[in-house]
Amino acid sequence: MVCAQVEASPGRCWQKVLYERQPFPDNYVDHRFLEELRKNIHARRYQYGAVVFETGGVIQQLCSVCVFVVIWWYMDDGLLPPQWLFGAGLASSLVGYVLFDVIDLGAGRRASGRTRWADLRSTLVFIAFTYGFSPLLKTLTESVSTDTIYAMSVFMLLGHLIFFDYGANAAIVSSTLSLNMAIFASVCLASRLPRALHTFATVTFAIQIFALWPMLQKKLKARTPCCYVGVTLLFALAALAGLLTLSGVAALLFSLLLVSISFLCPYCLLRLQLHKDNIHGPWDEAEIKDDLSKFLM
C-alpha cells in the first residue's frame, strides 16, 4: 500500500538506478520488475542417445582398469607368461599406431611435426629403459607390506578414474595426475610379481592401456563415432569375459555397474533435467560484454 501511494506521487516515476536519489524505499520495485524474469535461459537440453554415447569414455576407462587387474592376476598366478603379454601388447600397439594415422589420413602427424622415425626411436628408448630398470622396480617396494601395496593400488586406480579427462570442462580434470596415479598403481602391483621380466611386461602393458589406448579412443570418437561404439562394446565384453574367469559374482556386479552408467544414469539425468528451474532477471550481476582491452593498453 505504501509503495502504491509513493508510486502515484505526481511527476516522479521509479527508475532502476542506484546513482540517483529517489523518493522511494530502498527495497521498492514496481510492477515492471518481474516482467524481465526469465527461466532456464542457459540450461542445456540433453538427448538420451547423446548422453548414452558420451558415457562410452567412462565405460572404456572402467574396462581398462578391469583388464589391467585381470592381466596382473593371471601373471601373479603364473597363467600368463610375460613373453606372451609383451608380444601381444607390442602387436596391439603396432595395429593401434597404424589406425591412429589411417583414421585422419595423417593430419594429426603433420600438425605435430613428428616423424615415424622419431616415434620408433622414442619407443625403443622407453623399452630399453623400462627393461633396464625392471629389477629396480621389482625390489622398489620390498620393505612395504603386501596389504599396503594392494590398498595403495586400489586408491591410485580410483584416483585415476576420478581425475581422468572424459571430455568435461571441470577443475577436477587432470590428465597428468590421472596417468601418474595409474602408473604408480601398476608399479606397485608389478613389484609383487615373481620375476623382473614380469615387472617389465606389466609396466609396459600399463603404459599401453592407460596412456596410448585413450589417445586412440579419443581419435575414434572424434572421427568415426560408429566404430567408437563398436570398439567400446567389444572392449566391455572382453573385460567381462576376463573377469568372469576369475569370479562370476565380480563379473555380475561389474556388468550391473556398466549397465547403470550407460543407461540408468543418463535416464536419471534427463528426468532431473525436467525439474531444473534457474531464474534470471534484473537482480543478476552485471556482465560487461564490451571489449575493454583498449582501456588496458
Side-chain angles (χ1 to χ4, degrees), residues 12-24:
R12 194 64 186 271
C13 296
W14 177 78
Q15 296 180 347
K16 190 179 63 176
V17 295
L18 297 177
Y19 53 82
E20 184 178 345
R21 186 179 297 278
Q22 303 181 69
F24 302 100

Side-chain angles (χ1 to χ4, degrees), residues 106-129:
R109 174 177 300 282
R110 289 191 296 269
S112 63
R114 287 187 61 86
T115 62
R116 289 183 173 83
W117 167 245
D119 293 338
L120 178 60
R121 185 172 52 190
S122 300
T123 302
L124 293 177
V125 169
F126 168 77
I127 292 176
F129 270 89

Side-chain angles (χ1 to χ4, degrees), residues 248-264:
V249 177
L252 177 61
L253 294 177
F254 189 70
S255 62
L256 291 177
L257 176 63
L258 297 184
V259 171
S260 299
I261 293 176
S262 298
F263 302 105
L264 182 59

Side-chain angles (χ1 to χ4, degrees), residues 46 51 264-274:
Y46 298 100
V51 179
L264 182 59
C265 290
Y267 174 78
C268 293
L269 175 64
L270 265 65
R271 295 295 299 177
L272 292 174
Q273 191 75 8
L274 300 177

Side-chain angles (χ1 to χ4, degrees), residues 1-291:
M1 183 64 67
V2 175
C3 294
Q5 292 176 356
V6 173
E7 186 181 9
S9 61
R12 194 64 186 271
C13 296
W14 177 78
Q15 296 180 347
K16 190 179 63 176
V17 295
L18 297 177
Y19 53 82
E20 184 178 345
R21 186 179 297 278
Q22 303 181 69
F24 302 100
D26 292 339
N27 61 347
Y28 174 77
V29 293
D30 65 357
H31 65 280
R32 298 170 298 170
F33 191 76
L34 291 181
E35 291 180 356
E36 301 181 29
L37 173 66
R38 300 292 183 269
K39 292 185 177 182
N40 299 332
I41 59 176
H42 300 300
R44 296 180 57 185
R45 299 299 178 184
Y46 298 100
Q47 299 294 328
Y48 183 74
V51 179
V52 171
F53 176 78
E54 291 297 331
T55 60
V58 183
I59 297 301
Q60 290 209 14
Q61 214 54 35
L62 285 171
C63 293
S64 297
V65 173
C66 178
V67 168
F68 175 77
V69 172
V70 169
I71 292 298
W72 173 83
W73 197 292
Y74 285 170
M75 296 275 286
D76 191 44
D77 283 351
L79 302 176
L80 179 63
Q83 298 87 345
W84 289 12
L85 176 61
F86 179 74
L90 198 60
S92 301
S93 298
L94 181 60
V95 173
Y97 181 81
V98 173
L99 283 177
F100 194 85
D101 275 352
V102 170
I103 290 173
D104 61 354
L105 302 178
R109 174 177 300 282
R110 289 191 296 269
S112 63
R114 287 187 61 86
T115 62
R116 289 183 173 83
W117 167 245
D119 293 338
L120 178 60
R121 185 172 52 190
S122 300
T123 302
L124 293 177
V125 169
F126 168 77
I127 292 176
F129 270 89
T130 306
Y131 183 79
F133 283 102
S134 56
L136 177 63
L137 298 177
K138 174 68 178 66
T139 59
L140 189 63
T141 60
E142 280 188 348
S143 60
V144 183
S145 65
T146 302
D147 293 340
T148 304
I149 290 294
Y150 291 162
M152 286 194 304
S153 301
V154 169
F155 281 113
M156 290 297 106
L157 291 176
L158 287 176
H160 164 73
L161 294 173
I162 292 173
F163 295 105
F164 186 78
D165 184 9
Y166 299 104
N169 186 15
I172 197 174
V173 174
S174 177
S175 300
T176 304
L177 178 60
S178 176
L179 179 59
N180 288 338
M181 296 180 80
I183 300 304
F184 180 79
S186 67
V187 171
C188 289
L189 292 176
S191 65
R192 288 300 183 263
L193 294 176
R195 295 163 49 198
L197 186 60
H198 292 72
T199 303
F200 164 70
T202 303
V203 174
T204 305
F205 178 70
I207 293 293
Q208 293 167 344
I209 199 169
F210 292 127
L212 302 181
W213 170 240
M215 296 172 59
L216 178 59
Q217 72 178 14
K218 288 180 180 179
K219 182 78 72 173
L220 289 173
K221 183 179 180 180
R223 299 286 181 172
T224 56
C226 294
C227 294
Y228 173 76
V229 173
V231 169
T232 302
L233 291 175
L234 291 176
F235 198 46
L237 292 176
L240 286 173
L243 193 58
L244 185 62
T245 60
L246 301 181
S247 173
V249 177
L252 177 61
L253 294 177
F254 189 70
S255 62
L256 291 177
L257 176 63
L258 297 184
V259 171
S260 299
I261 293 176
S262 298
F263 302 105
L264 182 59
C265 290
Y267 174 78
C268 293
L269 175 64
L270 265 65
R271 295 295 299 177
L272 292 174
Q273 191 75 8
L274 300 177
H275 302 284
K276 195 175 186 64
D277 192 15
N278 290 341
I279 60 175
H280 304 268
W283 51 84
D284 290 344
E285 296 180 358
E287 296 182 6
I288 302 176
K289 298 182 180 180
D290 296 335
D291 185 11

